[in-house]
C-alpha cells in the first residue's frame, strides 16, 4: 500500500468531519443547552468515529457518527439525572441561573432581521422543549437528512419508533410555533 492509498481515506474522513461538525454542534447544543458541553460531545463523537470506524466505507459514516453522538447525548442526560437526584437528596442548593448555557446571540441587526432572529430563537426553544427521543428523530431526519433506517441505526431503536418520535416531534413543534408561522 503506497502513501496515496492511505492518505485518500484520511482526507475523505477529514472532509466528512468538517462537513458534519457545525450541524452536530447545533444538535448537541440544542440537546444540552451548554456550548462547552456540546463541543465536548461533538469532539468525543468525532474521536470515537475516527478511532473505531475510520476503516468502514464512507457511506456508513453519517449513521455511525450520529449513533455515536446521540449515544453520548443520552449518556449525558443519564449522568445529569443522577446528579440532579443527588442534589435533591442532599440539598445542594447551587442551582444555575435559568438561562445558564443558552446560546447568546449578538444584538439584532437591521429591523428586517429581527423577525428572523426571534423566529430562530423560538425554534431553538421549541426544540429544547421536545423530549430527547423526539428531538433526536427530528434533527436526524430534518437537519442531517438521514432516512428512517439510518436514523433508527443512529438512535439505536426500530424504524417504527423513529416514525413515532418524528411524528410526535412535528406535532409538538407545530403546536409550540403556531404563533410564529401562519
Amino acid at each position: 500500500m503506497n502513501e496515496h492509498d492511505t492518505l485518500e481515506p484520511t482526507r475523505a474522513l477529514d472532509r466528512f468531519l468538517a462537513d458534519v461538525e457545525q450541524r452536530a454542534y447545533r444538535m448537541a447544543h440544542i440537546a444540552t443547552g451548554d456550548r462547552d458541553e456540546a463541543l465536548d460531545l461533538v469532539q468525543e463523537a468525532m474521536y470515537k468515529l475516527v478511532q473505531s470506524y475510520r476503516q468502514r466505507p464512507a457511506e456508513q459514516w453519517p449513521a455511525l457518527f450520529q449513533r455515536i453522538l446521540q449515544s453520548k447525548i443520552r449518556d449525558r442526560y443519564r449522568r445529569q439525572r443522577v446528579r440532579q437526584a443527588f442534589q435533591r437528596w442532599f440539598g445542594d442548593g447551587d442551582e444555575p441561573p435559568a438561562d445558564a448555557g443558552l446560546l447568546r446571540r449578538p444584538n439584532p441587526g437591521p429591523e428586517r432581521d429581527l423577525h428572523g432572529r426571534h423566529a430562530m430563537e423560538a425554534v431553538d426553544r421549541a426544540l429544547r422543549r421536545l423530549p430527547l427521543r423526539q428531538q433526536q428523530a427530528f434533527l436526524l431526519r430534518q437537519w442531517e437528512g438521514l432516512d428512517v433506517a439510518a436514523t433508527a441505526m443512529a438512535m439505536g431503536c426500530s424504524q417504527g419508533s423513529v416514525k413515532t418520535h418524528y411524528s410526535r416531534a412535528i406535532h409538538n413543534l407545530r403546536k409550540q410555533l403556531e404563533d410564529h408561522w401562519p
Side-chain angles (χ1 to χ4, degrees):
M1 187 177 264
N2 65 35
E3 182 180 334
H4 177 72
D5 292 338
T6 58
L7 193 56
E8 189 52 37
T10 300
R11 287 183 180 154
L13 186 56
D14 287 345
R15 284 190 302 270
F16 167 74
L17 293 174
D19 182 55
V20 76
E21 179 180 24
Q22 288 299 314
R23 293 186 316 273
Y25 166 76
R26 189 126 162 83
M27 288 169 115
H29 184 261
I30 287 169
T32 65
D34 182 283
R35 289 191 283 193
D36 293 332
E37 190 151 4
L39 284 171
D40 288 345
L41 290 171
V42 171
Q43 288 174 348
E44 289 172 17
M46 288 179 164
Y47 178 76
K48 180 72 172 177
L49 181 75
V50 170
Q51 180 186 37
S52 300
Y53 301 106
R54 71 176 169 266
Q55 300 304 325
R56 295 277 184 102
E59 56 272 3
Q60 291 181 6
W61 293 340
L64 288 167
F65 176 76
Q66 290 301 330
R67 182 171 186 141
I68 294 165
L69 179 61
Q70 298 307 321
S71 177
K72 294 207 171 289
I73 290 170
R74 282 191 306 275
D75 289 347
R76 183 238 183 223
Y77 268 80
R78 286 184 199 113
R79 285 190 309 270
Q80 187 178 30
R81 280 196 308 264
V82 169
R83 257 186 258 127
Q84 288 171 345
F86 275 109
Q87 287 174 348
R88 281 192 304 273
W89 292 337
F90 297 112
D92 182 0
D94 293 330
E95 295 286 327
D99 67 340
L102 293 178
L103 183 61
R104 306 291 194 279
R105 289 190 168 66
N107 290 332
E111 188 174 320
R112 70 181 188 277
D113 292 338
L114 188 58
H115 177 70
R117 289 179 191 266
H118 287 299
M120 280 310 299
E121 289 171 357
V123 169
D124 283 353
R125 283 191 306 273
L127 285 169
R128 284 189 183 107
R129 287 186 200 122
L130 289 177
L132 179 62
R133 300 300 272 176
Q134 289 179 26
Q135 189 182 92
Q136 290 171 327
F138 178 81
L139 293 173
L140 291 171
R141 297 278 289 126
Q142 286 295 315
W143 287 8
E144 287 302 310
L146 297 182
D147 61 18
V148 173
T151 301
M153 181 188 168
M155 291 178 63
C157 64
S158 71
Q159 291 183 30
S161 291
V162 168
K163 291 175 185 178
T164 299
H165 292 305
Y166 181 73
S167 175
R168 289 177 181 168
I170 294 293
H171 177 75
N172 284 338
L173 289 171
R174 282 184 182 146
K175 187 174 181 177
Q176 289 184 56
L177 297 170
E178 64 189 1
D179 293 339
H180 294 278
W181 285 277

